[in-house]
Amino acid sequence: MYTGGYMGKVLRVNLSTKEITTEELPEKIAKDFIGGAGFGIKYLFDEVPGDTDALGEENKLIFAPGPLSGTSAPCASRMAVTTKSPLTNAVGMALSGGYFPVELKFAGYDVLIIEGKSEEPVYLWIKDDNVSIRKADKIWGMNTIDTQDVLKQELKEESARIACIGPAGENLSKMAAIINERRAFGRKGVGAVMGSKNLKAIAVRGTKEVPIGNEELFKKARSAMLAGMKESPMLYPHFSKLGTPMVVDATSALGIFPSENYRNTGEDDYTESLGAESSVARTLGNEHCYGCPVGCTQMKLARGGNLKYQGTMSDPEYETYYSLGSCTGVKNHDAVIHADHLCDKLGLDTISVGVTIGFAMELYESGLLSKEQTSGLDLRFGNDEAMVDAITEIAYRNEGIGSLLCDGSKVLAEQIGQGSEKYAMHVKGLEFPAYDPRGAKAHGLNYVTSYTGADHNRGYAPQEIFGAEIPKAYDRFTPEGKGWLTMYNQDLRSATCDCPTMCGFLIDMALPHMAEENTADMVSGATGLDIKKEDVMVIGARVNNLARAFNLTAGLTKADDTYPERILTEPIKEGGSKGHYVSPEELEMMLNDYYDSRNWTKEGVPTEERLSELGLDEAIVKLKEKGLL
Amino acid sequence: MYTGGYMGKVLRVNLSTKEITTEELPEKIAKDFIGGAGFGIKYLFDEVPGDTDALGEENKLIFAPGPLSGTSAPCASRMAVTTKSPLTNAVGMALSGGYFPVELKFAGYDVLIIEGKSEEPVYLWIKDDNVSIRKADKIWGMNTIDTQDVLKQELKEESARIACIGPAGENLSKMAAIINERRAFGRKGVGAVMGSKNLKAIAVRGTKEVPIGNEELFKKARSAMLAGMKESPMLYPHFSKLGTPMVVDATSALGIFPSENYRNTGEDDYTESLGAESSVARTLGNEHCYGCPVGCTQMKLARGGNLKYQGTMSDPEYETYYSLGSCTGVKNHDAVIHADHLCDKLGLDTISVGVTIGFAMELYESGLLSKEQTSGLDLRFGNDEAMVDAITEIAYRNEGIGSLLCDGSKVLAEQIGQGSEKYAMHVKGLEFPAYDPRGAKAHGLNYVTSYTGADHNRGYAPQEIFGAEIPKAYDRFTPEGKGWLTMYNQDLRSATCDCPTMCGFLIDMALPHMAEENTADMVSGATGLDIKKEDVMVIGARVNNLARAFNLTAGLTKADDTYPERILTEPIKEGGSKGHYVSPEELEMMLNDYYDSRNWTKEGVPTEERLSELGLDEAIVKLKEKGLL
């Protein structure tokens, strides 16, 4: 059936019964959802009821690379993990790169579904067709770096690729990540789901070749892609040398680099301490994902300053300079490197952790959090040592500050009460990423509407932030047309990046003018399926509609498509976005535009017509069962 | 020429000229010195003048596994590194295990000699016959764990084995180690020599097979060895489960587990906090060197206590429970695990570092070191946080406490003056290991006479400490016969462990009754050379005499064969060795006995007769040149 791209197999591991089975990947799923996030959402929707307890035995953890992963397509070594998120109670989908994604393909699998819950800590060892569940008592408790190291030794497989959880995942922190190498399936608490299943790690070694369905088309598309990359004025000349940290300077200039839990955006300048220049001074070199000629990951060394940070090596991204930097008022660059490393090591999402600590700092400074509650930490904005110490407390859910912050901003606000939720910077429980939505309305509308919560990656708006001209540049302050634009960005990102699976940076920076065509050609070339340019956005819409349907069955409503009160009432006080905020009326207007564009009801429910067009009969059935349609 | 055991090749790398050459391993060297430390000392003596500056371009770094390394001999994956030590100005020889040693053999080399000094930081990449010197600007500054990780990625060789230095070696700390995996060529500042050459790392990947010279004899000897191991009441039943940390309980019971820089030996009990029981509670599992069925390394996890230590994994040995534990008055077990990890990471010898910190603590408590000089650290005995912080200061030679302690106890005493040298616990500059010599006279006499300084591994005395009956048990408090016994232990250790290269634990615990015979048979079997049981102790004597000759040409004299004043004047105050010390007269008597046994002069110079018997004409020539003979 499969001439290429896919290995044709789904591996299913039930940790309760210890059953390990394989099944064929249905061609219809391959055609309709391509791979990655598409596969994840499809299997999640079909197999996990919306009202499942995210940390219960019935939740599943679905790992899926795409049809391009493991081929010679550049920048396609990515994988989605999909589950019901304990942080948002919505679809939890997170992507990571590196080498782990392709290794699963090389072992022969397009999808790995983890079900049930082991009684004892275990890990999974996949060596091509040999799959076994093994006792993890030796590695349980270890950090993610030691875990990978020790497992390779135990398996006598230096080339095994390992994804694992750290103490944070074991302790069911809703901010826990799954770490592979130094990379993370970072957000939405996917690490807590893995921890709830008593699954410490997944080790993979594969030796198979990913077949190509239509060599000629694939080669042609690949050449066009490489040419597009070469022509990009951004990709090699700048991005390859500076990586995402270069964005600190850009968003600071726009006045949307958030600081001090958003109370201070635009008022303080972080470019000198955390911007590109200070970043380059600490850079050791680039790291590449499998098959990537760009290598945007910038490995940095903390060389001095505080004794505690001296000599720490890590690769903080732009988002981390915000969350563990400006959002907590920290300007000590070496502290950010150290904190980033700690999060990787302990298995935590840097964004959610930093934003939650920033929120706690605001509560502390305003007297809503006492020094007793912070376990003695002096949680003032800018206190980098307190920020760093809080990370370990969180990972271990230590009594005091650890258990208070361990489950993120939303839970923290619920514990504190007293109106604190006004300053809890999250949507649906997922903490804000590094762009103040008051100065980028479509980018922000994506936070509100993304199926994963406040997630920049599901519908990044380069048309606002960088004036990108595909389909056209937009004024970042006005609400007009932002509903449609947000839909466009979400569908495009899903279809061209999250499903195939392809690096988002590549699409944004080098291929926006040819994203749909190139995706159609690359996927058709790799798989031998016939996917046309016109199909691409339909696939993107299918993914976003099915994810929305899942969220509705999980109990989410239009009321969850909103901002914390600060964004709706407090204008930015200084800088390039001074005076701007998103009024409730403005949000309502943009939301209606968005729902309309999607052909959803005023309550944000996909219409039967739209679902039918997209071939999502399963969604119609389930929404009707729930009385939502 | 070589039928087995050896690869027949010496690899020579000159970092000044960038010349890379190979030469044949001379058969005479193979026969006379076997391998490992023997080869190292022979090449050092022949090629490095005694008065060479240890951190100068003329010093060399000689890596040598033995003829058993890489064969199926159990417990033989060891390697010696030999150089002129910057810490002792004497022969600096340190051994390590793991996988690096055999990998060099698999690449085809018996000896690797590093010469000269690179202008820029470099690393060496040895892949079988392909050897290259590469720029290390990307990894310079990194800790040893990151270095190994990043180099494997850079080389795309997950199976490469890497020995490297950390910040301590780069900063020329005389306590700097060379780290491979988590293991160390720990002592005598070998890491500083590597740093002085601007050599960050040596990466090796080999695919050759080590030939066996006499299969029949080798198999027979190997079977006898494995049978001896099986019969040992200690090796598998206890040592394999507990590793060296079990010794804490044994030496505490004897009153020779040193505490608080030896001012307090026997007065306080560390078995509850640092002994076997608390150790087992933290053990995750064993780690094995290549080809070792025992796996004595005990990987431990710091689970709680201080936030800073939570989650650290490391494998402290007995010596480290002393140096970073009792010697600094620290009872926090998790702090010792964390400190051990820090030393590995930063590339420091745990013994020298701990003892030097212990010495500084005594100076601090007695007012000879001010809080200003300690960079604000409250260096009281038992302050585990100060102990941990001091390690990083030392590795980076940070201004203040870092630069004061960075070069060890002897240099610290020289800087402080005021009679402080009385409490500087070293011989020839090398800090004491974990047995108070006041309660183990032969073991202590080895500290005094070993060619490397206070080094337990060069002539461990199980006959005193554990009542071992080969050749016979000795009373540990009396001086009688200790000169001969020390010589016996030194020669035996050199010939049966340091040269072949074979694990010392194995010889001590399982094979003492057959050490000479088994060594002769194993080496003859592996190499095809004809080495008889009677030759073994002669080889041991040859190694120790040639090393002594080197030290004499380096300017050391009988005056360096002595203890710090504390050992000579202060009796142990409490416990199982209460009242004992080593009077100057007693030491003189034992020394004379030792010199006599060795057929050395009263001044500790080997006689021409003895050197001639051992075939060391090169030593006769050089000592005569210097007017020492």
Side-chain angles (χ1 to χ4, degrees):
Chain A
M1 165 192 147
Y2 294 100
T3 51
Y6 303 107
M7 307 307 280
K9 241 193 237 174
V10 177
L11 174 63
R12 196 179 283 275
V13 176
N14 189 308
L15 296 175
S16 300
T17 63
K18 311 290 181 202
E19 274 175 296
I20 297 168
T21 52
T22 59
E23 58 204 48
E24 214 174 271
L25 173 69
E27 187 170 352
K28 182 165 166 50
I29 293 185
K31 267 190 178 160
D32 287 356
F33 294 94
I34 300 184
F39 285 0
I41 289 164
K42 172 62 178 159
Y43 278 96
L44 182 75
F45 189 88
D46 287 352
E47 302 190 3
V48 177
D51 57 2
T52 299
D53 171 11
L55 296 181
E57 193 172 345
E58 306 302 320
N59 198 3
K60 300 190 182 187
L61 206 51
I62 303 155
F63 293 87
L68 300 183
S69 317
T71 70
S72 64
C75 313
S77 178
R78 296 191 60 77
M79 181 191 274
V81 60
T82 311
T83 189
K84 178 170 175 182
S85 162
L87 190 64
T88 63
N89 279 314
V91 173
M93 193 284 291
L95 289 138
S96 182
Y99 286 78
F100 182 77
V102 292
E103 202 69 31
L104 189 70
K105 287 285 288 276
F106 295 153
Y109 308 102
D110 301 299
V111 186
L112 163 63
I113 303 177
I114 308 286
E115 309 179 338
K117 175 185 175 169
S118 170
E119 281 191 10
E120 286 178 324
V122 291
Y123 71 92
L124 191 62
W125 172 218
I126 301 171
K127 192 174 181 181
D128 288 329
D129 300 338
N130 299 310
V131 181
S132 54
I133 300 168
R134 299 182 169 211
K135 279 197 177 183
D137 41 345
K138 185 175 168 181
I139 50 174
W140 194 258
M142 277 186 201
N143 68 47
T144 63
I145 296 169
D146 291 337
T147 297
Q148 297 181 63
D149 186 24
V150 170
L151 260 195
K152 285 181 187 176
Q153 284 176 46
E154 184 167 312
L155 296 169
K156 296 189 200 313
E157 278 282 356
E158 290 290 335
S159 302
R161 301 296 179 176
I162 295 166
C164 64
I165 55 169
E170 296 178 14
N171 294 316
L172 306 181
S173 164
K174 290 183 180 173
M175 304 189 288
I178 299 171
I179 304 288
N180 59 312
E181 292 141 50
R182 294 168 187 274
R183 299 177 190 278
F185 298 92
R187 310 205 69 196
K188 299 121 205 169
V190 293
V193 177
M194 194 153 152
S196 75
K197 300 191 171 305
N198 272 319
L199 181 63
K200 177 68 179 174
I202 301 168
V204 185
R205 182 77 179 98
T207 59
K208 300 178 186 179
E209 207 173 314
V210 180
I212 296 297
N214 181 340
E215 283 278 4
E216 202 181 333
L217 176 59
F218 183 72
K219 273 189 188 164
K220 210 181 111 194
R222 187 172 173 273
S223 295
M225 196 172 168
L226 289 168
M229 289 168 68
K230 223 170 171 177
E231 280 160 22
S232 161
M234 189 51 75
L235 198 67
Y236 291 114
H238 299 287
F239 189 59
S240 171
K241 292 192 182 105
L242 296 166
T244 61
M246 72 184 187
V247 181
V248 171
D249 299 73
T251 54
S252 292
L254 298 173
I256 55 170
F257 189 59
S259 70
E260 300 194 0
N261 197 40
Y262 291 76
R263 74 174 187 187
N264 205 18
T265 302
E267 290 187 42
D268 202 354
D269 186 16
Y270 287 82
T271 53
E272 195 185 323
S273 51
L274 305 180
E277 203 179 312
S278 77
S279 183
V280 165
R282 288 166 175 83
T283 298
L284 294 165
N286 297 31
E287 292 218 336
H288 295 247
C289 294
Y290 174 89
C292 171
V294 180
C296 69
T297 301
Q298 306 285 309
M299 196 54 72
K300 293 175 202 308
L301 190 66
R303 292 190 185 270
N306 191 313
L307 191 66
K308 294 184 179 66
Y309 318 140
Q310 202 165 9
T312 299
M313 189 178 86
S314 202
D315 49 356
E317 300 287 352
Y318 165 67
E319 289 289 333
T320 304
Y321 281 109
Y322 141 76
S323 58
L324 297 166
S326 62
C327 197
T328 59
V330 166
K331 289 194 168 177
N332 184 328
H333 198 127
D334 298 316
V336 177
I337 293 173
H338 190 77
D340 181 66
H341 173 68
L342 261 186
C343 285
D344 288 351
K345 209 166 112 172
L346 299 170
L348 281 166
D349 171 33
T350 60
I351 303 178
S352 283
V353 165
V355 175
T356 301
I357 294 174
F359 176 36
M361 284 173 160
E362 187 160 9
L363 296 176
Y364 181 79
E365 288 200 355
S366 63
L368 291 177
L369 204 57
S370 70
K371 201 160 182 177
E372 200 181 331
Q373 286 173 299
T374 64
S375 306
L377 295 181
D378 185 25
L379 268 190
R380 282 173 297 101
F381 281 113
N383 185 348
D384 54 279
E385 291 200 31
M387 179 272 287
V388 163
D389 283 349
I391 293 171
T392 308
E393 301 278 13
I394 288 170
Y396 288 95
R397 201 184 275 277
N398 284 339
E399 209 182 321
I401 189 74
S403 63
L404 261 177
L405 270 59
C406 194
D407 292 324
S409 304
K410 189 177 168 210
V411 173
L412 176 57
E414 284 163 8
Q415 290 176 92
I416 300 299
Q418 304 173 71
S420 61
E421 69 276 10
K422 178 175 177 180
Y423 308 111
M425 308 310 292
H426 69 84
V427 174
K428 300 181 176 66
L430 188 71
E431 285 74 11
F432 276 25
Y435 306 81
D436 196 314
R438 292 172 291 189
K441 303 278 165 81
H443 196 76
L445 186 61
N446 167 61
Y447 295 1
V448 168
T449 58
S450 154
Y451 61 83
T452 49
D455 186 342
H456 60 300
N457 278 324
R458 299 288 74 70
Y460 199 101
Q463 304 87 352
E464 278 185 348
I465 298 168
F466 299 110
E469 296 185 337
I470 311 287
K472 70 180 182 87
Y474 278 75
D475 181 314
R476 61 194 174 95
F477 298 120
T478 58
E480 283 75 25
K482 299 299 173 72
W484 181 88
L485 179 62
T486 299
M487 176 191 74
Y488 169 86
N489 284 331
Q490 289 174 344
D491 290 351
L492 188 74
R493 174 63 72 120
S494 291
T496 63
C497 302
D498 300 350
C499 296
T501 47
M502 180 58 68
C503 178
F505 296 129
L506 185 69
I507 301 293
D508 280 350
M509 280 184 219
L511 312 176
H513 58 293
M514 57 190 273
E516 292 159 64
E517 183 175 2
N518 190 254
T519 298
D521 291 351
M522 286 297 289
V523 173
S524 299
T527 62
L529 295 172
D530 181 24
I531 291 172
K532 295 195 172 47
K533 185 182 165 184
E534 304 77 59
D535 300 332
V536 171
M537 291 299 269
V538 178
I539 292 167
R542 187 176 294 125
V543 167
N544 280 283
N545 276 272
L546 189 60
R548 180 74 175 188
F550 179 88
N551 289 353
L552 292 167
T553 64
L556 275 71
T557 68
K558 184 186 171 183
D560 296 298
D561 294 349
T562 192
Y563 283 124
E565 201 181 322
R566 164 165 279 160
I567 300 299
L568 300 171
T569 57
E570 284 183 14
I572 292 178
K573 296 189 202 80
E574 288 296 335
S577 298
K578 185 176 173 175
H580 292 280
Y581 70 112
V582 186
S583 71
E585 299 72 31
E586 199 177 2
L587 176 61
E588 184 68 17
M589 189 197 127
M590 291 193 291
L591 256 187
N592 285 333
D593 179 14
Y594 175 82
Y595 293 162
D596 282 350
S597 302
R598 284 220 175 274
N599 193 6
W600 290 358
T601 70
K602 294 275 172 238
E603 291 307 305
V605 179
T607 58
E608 186 166 350
E609 182 193 8
R610 184 62 180 142
L611 292 172
S612 186
E613 270 172 22
L614 296 169
L616 293 172
D617 294 344
E618 64 271 42
I620 297 172
V621 171
K622 272 203 193 174
L623 288 175
K624 283 193 171 167
E625 271 173 22
K626 291 259 176 190
L628 294 165
L629 204 69
Chain B
M1 169 190 142
Y2 293 99
T3 51
Y6 302 106
M7 308 304 281
K9 241 193 237 173
V10 176
L11 174 63
R12 197 179 282 274
V13 176
N14 189 309
L15 296 175
S16 300
T17 63
K18 311 291 180 201
E19 273 176 296
I20 297 169
T21 51
T22 59
E23 57 204 50
E24 212 174 273
L25 173 69
E27 186 169 350
K28 184 168 165 45
I29 293 184
K31 267 190 177 159
D32 287 357
F33 294 93
I34 299 183
F39 286 180
I41 290 164
K42 172 62 177 160
Y43 277 96
L44 183 75
F45 189 88
D46 287 353
E47 302 190 3
V48 177
D51 56 3
T52 299
D53 171 10
L55 296 180
E57 192 172 344
E58 306 300 322
N59 197 5
K60 300 190 181 185
L61 207 49
I62 303 153
F63 292 86
L68 300 183
S69 316
T71 70
S72 64
C75 312
S77 178
R78 296 190 61 76
M79 180 191 272
V81 59
T82 310
T83 190
K84 181 173 174 180
S85 162
L87 190 64
T88 63
N89 279 313
V91 174
M93 192 285 290
L95 290 137
S96 182
Y99 287 78
F100 182 76
V102 292
E103 203 70 30
L104 188 70
K105 286 285 289 276
F106 295 153
Y109 309 102
D110 301 300
V111 186
L112 163 63
I113 303 178
I114 308 286
E115 308 179 339
K117 175 183 176 170
S118 170
E119 280 190 11
E120 287 178 324
V122 291
Y123 72 92
L124 190 63
W125 172 217
I126 301 171
K127 191 175 182 180
D128 287 330
D129 300 340
N130 299 309
V131 181
S132 54
I133 301 168
R134 299 182 170 211
K135 279 198 177 184
D137 41 345
K138 184 174 168 182
I139 50 174
W140 194 257
M142 277 187 201
N143 67 48
T144 63
I145 296 169
D146 292 336
T147 298
Q148 297 181 61
D149 186 23
V150 171
L151 260 195
K152 285 180 189 178
Q153 285 176 46
E154 183 167 314
L155 296 168
K156 295 190 202 309
E157 279 281 357
E158 290 288 337
S159 301
R161 301 296 180 174
I162 295 165
C164 65
I165 56 170
E170 296 179 12
N171 294 316
L172 307 182
S173 163
K174 291 183 179 172
M175 303 190 288
I178 299 171
I179 303 289
N180 59 312
E181 293 142 51
R182 294 169 187 273
R183 299 175 191 279
F185 298 92
R187 311 207 67 197
K188 299 122 206 168
V190 293
V193 177
M194 195 153 151
S196 74
K197 299 189 172 308
N198 273 320
L199 180 63
K200 177 67 179 177
I202 301 168
V204 185
R205 181 78 178 101
T207 59
K208 299 178 186 178
E209 206 172 315
V210 180
I212 296 298
N214 180 339
E215 283 278 4
E216 200 182 333
L217 176 59
F218 183 73
K219 273 190 190 165
K220 210 181 110 194
R222 186 172 174 274
S223 295
M225 199 172 164
L226 290 168
M229 290 167 69
K230 223 170 170 178
E231 281 161 21
S232 161
M234 188 53 73
L235 198 67
Y236 292 113
H238 300 287
F239 189 58
S240 172
K241 293 192 181 105
L242 296 167
T244 61
M246 72 183 186
V247 182
V248 171
D249 300 72
T251 54
S252 294
L254 297 172
I256 56 171
F257 189 59
S259 71
E260 300 195 2
N261 195 41
Y262 292 76
R263 75 174 184 186
N264 206 15
T265 304
E267 289 186 44
D268 202 353
D269 186 16
Y270 286 83
T271 54
E272 196 184 323
S273 51
L274 305 180
E277 204 179 310
S278 77
S279 183
V280 165
R282 289 166 175 83
T283 297
L284 295 164
N286 297 30
E287 293 217 334
H288 295 247
C289 294
Y290 174 89
C292 171
V294 180
C296 68
T297 301
Q298 306 285 308
M299 198 52 75
K300 293 175 205 307
L301 190 67
R303 292 191 186 269
N306 191 313
L307 192 66
K308 295 185 178 67
Y309 318 140
Q310 203 165 8
T312 300
M313 189 179 85
S314 201
D315 51 355
E317 300 286 351
Y318 166 67
E319 289 290 332
T320 305
Y321 281 109
Y322 141 77
S323 59
L324 298 165
S326 62
C327 198
T328 59
V330 166
K331 289 192 168 179
N332 184 329
H333 199 126
D334 297 316
V336 177
I337 293 173
H338 189 76
D340 182 65
H341 174 69
L342 261 186
C343 285
D344 288 351
K345 209 166 114 172
L346 300 170
L348 281 167
D349 172 32
T350 60
I351 303 179
S352 283
V353 165
V355 175
T356 301
I357 295 173
F359 176 35
M361 285 174 160
E362 187 161 6
L363 296 175
Y364 181 78
E365 288 201 354
S366 62
L368 292 177
L369 205 56
S370 69
K371 201 159 181 175
E372 200 181 331
Q373 287 172 300
T374 63
S375 307
L377 295 181
D378 185 25
L379 269 189
R380 283 173 296 100
F381 280 113
N383 184 349
D384 53 277
E385 292 201 29
M387 179 273 287
V388 163
D389 283 349
I391 293 171
T392 307
E393 300 278 14
I394 289 170
Y396 287 96
R397 200 184 276 276
N398 283 341
E399 210 181 321
I401 189 74
S403 64
L404 261 178
L405 269 58
C406 194
D407 291 324
S409 304
K410 190 177 168 207
V411 172
L412 176 58
E414 285 164 8
Q415 290 176 92
I416 300 298
Q418 304 172 72
S420 61
E421 70 275 10
K422 180 176 175 180
Y423 308 112
M425 308 310 292
H426 69 84
V427 174
K428 300 181 176 68
L430 187 70
E431 285 74 12
F432 276 26
Y435 305 81
D436 195 314
R438 293 172 290 189
K441 302 279 165 81
H443 195 77
L445 185 62
N446 168 61
Y447 295 2
V448 168
T449 58
S450 153
Y451 61 83
T452 49
D455 186 342
H456 60 300
N457 278 324
R458 301 287 74 70
Y460 198 102
Q463 304 87 351
E464 278 185 348
I465 298 168
F466 298 112
E469 295 186 337
I470 310 288
K472 71 180 181 86
Y474 278 75
D475 181 313
R476 62 196 173 94
F477 298 119
T478 57
E480 283 75 25
K482 297 301 173 68
W484 180 87
L485 178 63
T486 299
M487 175 189 76
Y488 169 86
N489 284 330
Q490 289 173 344
D491 291 351
L492 188 75
R493 174 63 73 120
S494 291
T496 63
C497 303
D498 299 350
C499 296
T501 47
M502 180 59 67
C503 177
F505 296 130
L506 185 71
I507 301 292
D508 281 350
M509 278 182 221
L511 312 176
H513 58 294
M514 56 189 273
E516 293 160 63
E517 185 176 358
N518 190 254
T519 298
D521 290 350
M522 287 296 291
V523 174
S524 299
T527 63
L529 294 171
D530 181 23
I531 290 172
K532 295 194 174 50
K533 184 181 165 184
E534 304 78 59
D535 299 333
V536 170
M537 290 299 270
V538 177
I539 292 166
R542 186 176 293 124
V543 168
N544 280 283
N545 275 270
L546 189 60
R548 180 74 176 189
F550 179 88
N551 288 354
L552 292 167
T553 65
L556 275 73
T557 67
K558 183 187 173 183
D560 296 298
D561 294 349
T562 192
Y563 284 122
E565 201 180 321
R566 165 165 278 159
I567 300 300
L568 300 170
T569 57
E570 283 184 13
I572 293 178
K573 295 188 201 81
E574 286 298 333
S577 298
K578 184 176 174 176
H580 292 280
Y581 70 113
V582 185
S583 72
E585 299 71 32
E586 200 179 2
L587 176 60
E588 183 70 17
M589 190 197 126
M590 290 194 293
L591 256 187
N592 284 334
D593 177 15
Y594 176 83
Y595 293 162
D596 282 351
S597 302
R598 284 219 175 274
N599 193 6
W600 290 358
T601 70
K602 294 276 170 239
E603 291 307 306
V605 179
T607 57
E608 186 166 349
E609 181 194 6
R610 184 61 180 143
L611 293 172
S612 185
E613 270 172 22
L614 295 169
L616 294 172
D617 295 344
E618 64 272 42
I620 296 172
V621 171
K622 273 204 190 170
L623 289 175
K624 281 191 172 169
E625 272 173 24
K626 291 261 176 185
L628 294 165
L629 202 71

